[in-house]
Amino acid sequence: MSAAGARFITVEGLEGAGKSTCLATIRDWLANRGIDPVVTREPGGTKLGEAVREVLLDHQYGGMTADSETLLIFAARAEHLAEVVRPALTAGQWVVCDRFTDATYAYQGGGRELGEERIEPLEQWVQGRLRPDLTLYLDVPVRAGLERAAARSTPDRFESEREAFFERARAVYRRRCATHPERMRLIDASTNLAQVQQRIEANLEAAFGHLV
Ligand code: TMP
């Protein structure tokens, strides 16, 4: 449960969608209103979570089953919620998280084809009623995003997946934006940076302008 006013914002998008820039825009928007949020990420955000992240991204574990992958992600998430997210919200601090459970629906549910019925019980177990207050999903065509990501660094275990994997993940993200209109916003991130930033700010204003 969050103290009055504290909000939980998550940022989602395929590789190369521009999440880092979006996180910086959110941070600036909040800073201009005197709010210094906890900025964190998944998988990660705790010592255990960062260790799990290394395993998940490591090519050594290429043969990992989709079930093991999903359970590792939720183990990292349970730790992150207990150690970082819930304590911050309870103390009245805003939390901005780079990816959260929508990524599990997209990558494991869609990409790995596990289906949402495998993810939902884990979401209930680990999160209870906790859901983000606002999720900004940055939408880019798969190939453009992958090219951007590949220019930046050597592909990790997820980035090495075939395009079809990311097409399935993108389809899930887009569908979830339609089925969760109370908190999810689809932002076309394929246009120029200034326009994307404007859209992010407009969404923050619409969601939280009355609070801050
Ligand atoms: P990053 O690219 O945002 O640093 O995230 C690392 C990778 O982890 C990314 O390729 C997506 C993947 N991931 C999942 O597959 N499921 C999840 O639930 C999360 C949070 C991330």
Side-chain angles (χ1 to χ4, degrees), residues 1-4 6 84-93 95:
M1 219 179 312
S2 59
V84 178
V85 178
R86 288 190 193 277
L89 292 172
T90 303
Q93 273 186 292
V95 177

PDB file of all heavy atoms in Angstrom, residues 1-4 6 84-93 95:
ATOM      1  N   MET A   1       0.839  -1.192   0.000  1.00  0.00           N
ATOM      2  CA  MET A   1       0.000   0.000   0.000  1.00  0.00           C
ATOM      3  C   MET A   1       0.883   1.255   0.000  1.00  0.00           C
ATOM      4  O   MET A   1       1.866   1.299   0.716  1.00  0.00           O
ATOM      5  CB  MET A   1      -0.874  -0.003   1.237  1.00  0.00           C
ATOM      6  CG  MET A   1      -2.268   0.498   0.940  1.00  0.00           C
ATOM      7  SD  MET A   1      -3.300   0.476   2.399  1.00  0.00           S
ATOM      8  CE  MET A   1      -3.024  -1.159   3.065  1.00  0.00           C
ATOM      9  N   SER A   2       0.524   2.232  -0.804  1.00  0.00           N
ATOM     10  CA  SER A   2       1.359   3.433  -0.846  1.00  0.00           C
ATOM     11  C   SER A   2       0.780   4.514   0.057  1.00  0.00           C
ATOM     12  O   SER A   2      -0.431   4.609   0.238  1.00  0.00           O
ATOM     13  CB  SER A   2       1.461   3.941  -2.277  1.00  0.00           C
ATOM     14  OG  SER A   2       0.195   4.227  -2.786  1.00  0.00           O
ATOM     15  N   ALA A   3       1.674   5.318   0.620  1.00  0.00           N
ATOM     16  CA  ALA A   3       1.234   6.452   1.413  1.00  0.00           C
ATOM     17  C   ALA A   3       0.562   7.433   0.458  1.00  0.00           C
ATOM     18  O   ALA A   3       0.802   7.395  -0.748  1.00  0.00           O
ATOM     19  CB  ALA A   3       2.432   7.089   2.099  1.00  0.00           C
ATOM     20  N   ALA A   4      -0.274   8.306   0.990  1.00  0.00           N
ATOM     21  CA  ALA A   4      -1.009   9.244   0.130  1.00  0.00           C
ATOM     22  C   ALA A   4      -0.050   9.978  -0.782  1.00  0.00           C
ATOM     23  O   ALA A   4       0.967  10.495  -0.328  1.00  0.00           O
ATOM     24  CB  ALA A   4      -1.764  10.220   1.007  1.00  0.00           C
ATOM     25  N   ALA A   6       2.142   8.980  -3.044  1.00  0.00           N
ATOM     26  CA  ALA A   6       3.224   8.237  -3.702  1.00  0.00           C
ATOM     27  C   ALA A   6       2.666   7.410  -4.846  1.00  0.00           C
ATOM     28  O   ALA A   6       1.606   6.802  -4.724  1.00  0.00           O
ATOM     29  CB  ALA A   6       3.915   7.329  -2.699  1.00  0.00           C
ATOM     30  N   VAL A  84      12.568  -3.029  -1.893  1.00  0.00           N
ATOM     31  CA  VAL A  84      12.669  -1.681  -2.478  1.00  0.00           C
ATOM     32  C   VAL A  84      11.304  -1.029  -2.718  1.00  0.00           C
ATOM     33  O   VAL A  84      11.021   0.049  -2.185  1.00  0.00           O
ATOM     34  CB  VAL A  84      13.459  -1.730  -3.821  1.00  0.00           C
ATOM     35  CG1 VAL A  84      13.531  -0.352  -4.465  1.00  0.00           C
ATOM     36  CG2 VAL A  84      14.858  -2.302  -3.603  1.00  0.00           C
ATOM     37  N   VAL A  85      10.470  -1.676  -3.509  1.00  0.00           N
ATOM     38  CA  VAL A  85       9.265  -0.988  -4.012  1.00  0.00           C
ATOM     39  C   VAL A  85       8.246  -0.725  -2.906  1.00  0.00           C
ATOM     40  O   VAL A  85       7.821   0.426  -2.710  1.00  0.00           O
ATOM     41  CB  VAL A  85       8.629  -1.786  -5.180  1.00  0.00           C
ATOM     42  CG1 VAL A  85       7.351  -1.102  -5.665  1.00  0.00           C
ATOM     43  CG2 VAL A  85       9.628  -1.942  -6.331  1.00  0.00           C
ATOM     44  N   ARG A  86       7.869  -1.768  -2.174  1.00  0.00           N
ATOM     45  CA  ARG A  86       6.847  -1.560  -1.139  1.00  0.00           C
ATOM     46  C   ARG A  86       7.324  -0.617  -0.028  1.00  0.00           C
ATOM     47  O   ARG A  86       6.574   0.281   0.365  1.00  0.00           O
ATOM     48  CB  ARG A  86       6.381  -2.898  -0.560  1.00  0.00           C
ATOM     49  CG  ARG A  86       5.506  -3.702  -1.525  1.00  0.00           C
ATOM     50  CD  ARG A  86       4.884  -4.887  -0.772  1.00  0.00           C
ATOM     51  NE  ARG A  86       4.291  -5.865  -1.650  1.00  0.00           N
ATOM     52  CZ  ARG A  86       3.073  -5.775  -2.173  1.00  0.00           C
ATOM     53  NH1 ARG A  86       2.338  -4.718  -1.925  1.00  0.00           N
ATOM     54  NH2 ARG A  86       2.599  -6.727  -2.955  1.00  0.00           N
ATOM     55  N   PRO A  87       8.560  -0.798   0.479  1.00  0.00           N
ATOM     56  CA  PRO A  87       9.008   0.134   1.523  1.00  0.00           C
ATOM     57  C   PRO A  87       8.997   1.586   1.039  1.00  0.00           C
ATOM     58  O   PRO A  87       8.607   2.498   1.772  1.00  0.00           O
ATOM     59  CB  PRO A  87      10.437  -0.329   1.843  1.00  0.00           C
ATOM     60  CG  PRO A  87      10.462  -1.768   1.447  1.00  0.00           C
ATOM     61  CD  PRO A  87       9.535  -1.888   0.278  1.00  0.00           C
ATOM     62  N   ALA A  88       9.401   1.813  -0.213  1.00  0.00           N
ATOM     63  CA  ALA A  88       9.425   3.192  -0.724  1.00  0.00           C
ATOM     64  C   ALA A  88       8.014   3.756  -0.799  1.00  0.00           C
ATOM     65  O   ALA A  88       7.752   4.865  -0.301  1.00  0.00           O
ATOM     66  CB  ALA A  88      10.090   3.219  -2.108  1.00  0.00           C
ATOM     67  N   LEU A  89       7.089   3.003  -1.380  1.00  0.00           N
ATOM     68  CA  LEU A  89       5.713   3.497  -1.513  1.00  0.00           C
ATOM     69  C   LEU A  89       5.094   3.748  -0.142  1.00  0.00           C
ATOM     70  O   LEU A  89       4.405   4.748   0.074  1.00  0.00           O
ATOM     71  CB  LEU A  89       4.861   2.512  -2.321  1.00  0.00           C
ATOM     72  CG  LEU A  89       5.230   2.374  -3.807  1.00  0.00           C
ATOM     73  CD1 LEU A  89       4.440   1.225  -4.448  1.00  0.00           C
ATOM     74  CD2 LEU A  89       4.984   3.672  -4.580  1.00  0.00           C
ATOM     75  N   THR A  90       5.373   2.852   0.791  1.00  0.00           N
ATOM     76  CA  THR A  90       4.831   3.013   2.146  1.00  0.00           C
ATOM     77  C   THR A  90       5.379   4.274   2.806  1.00  0.00           C
ATOM     78  O   THR A  90       4.686   4.951   3.554  1.00  0.00           O
ATOM     79  CB  THR A  90       5.173   1.768   3.002  1.00  0.00           C
ATOM     80  OG1 THR A  90       4.640   0.631   2.327  1.00  0.00           O
ATOM     81  CG2 THR A  90       4.572   1.837   4.384  1.00  0.00           C
ATOM     82  N   ALA A  91       6.633   4.589   2.476  1.00  0.00           N
ATOM     83  CA  ALA A  91       7.255   5.785   3.068  1.00  0.00           C
ATOM     84  C   ALA A  91       6.868   7.059   2.296  1.00  0.00           C
ATOM     85  O   ALA A  91       7.352   8.143   2.606  1.00  0.00           O
ATOM     86  CB  ALA A  91       8.769   5.618   3.075  1.00  0.00           C
ATOM     87  N   GLY A  92       6.026   6.910   1.272  1.00  0.00           N
ATOM     88  CA  GLY A  92       5.567   8.096   0.543  1.00  0.00           C
ATOM     89  C   GLY A  92       6.467   8.507  -0.601  1.00  0.00           C
ATOM     90  O   GLY A  92       6.322   9.605  -1.147  1.00  0.00           O
ATOM     91  N   GLN A  93       7.398   7.619  -0.991  1.00  0.00           N
ATOM     92  CA  GLN A  93       8.289   7.948  -2.107  1.00  0.00           C
ATOM     93  C   GLN A  93       7.744   7.409  -3.422  1.00  0.00           C
ATOM     94  O   GLN A  93       7.271   6.266  -3.470  1.00  0.00           O
ATOM     95  CB  GLN A  93       9.657   7.305  -1.872  1.00  0.00           C
ATOM     96  CG  GLN A  93      10.589   8.153  -1.060  1.00  0.00           C
ATOM     97  CD  GLN A  93      11.956   7.485  -1.019  1.00  0.00           C
ATOM     98  OE1 GLN A  93      12.106   6.432  -0.416  1.00  0.00           O
ATOM     99  NE2 GLN A  93      12.913   8.101  -1.671  1.00  0.00           N
ATOM    100  N   VAL A  95       8.035   5.739  -7.034  1.00  0.00           N
ATOM    101  CA  VAL A  95       8.937   4.718  -7.581  1.00  0.00           C
ATOM    102  C   VAL A  95       8.786   4.694  -9.095  1.00  0.00           C
ATOM    103  O   VAL A  95       7.662   4.646  -9.613  1.00  0.00           O
ATOM    104  CB  VAL A  95       8.611   3.319  -7.000  1.00  0.00           C
ATOM    105  CG1 VAL A  95       9.497   2.251  -7.636  1.00  0.00           C
ATOM    106  CG2 VAL A  95       8.781   3.312  -5.474  1.00  0.00           C
TER     107      VAL A  95
END
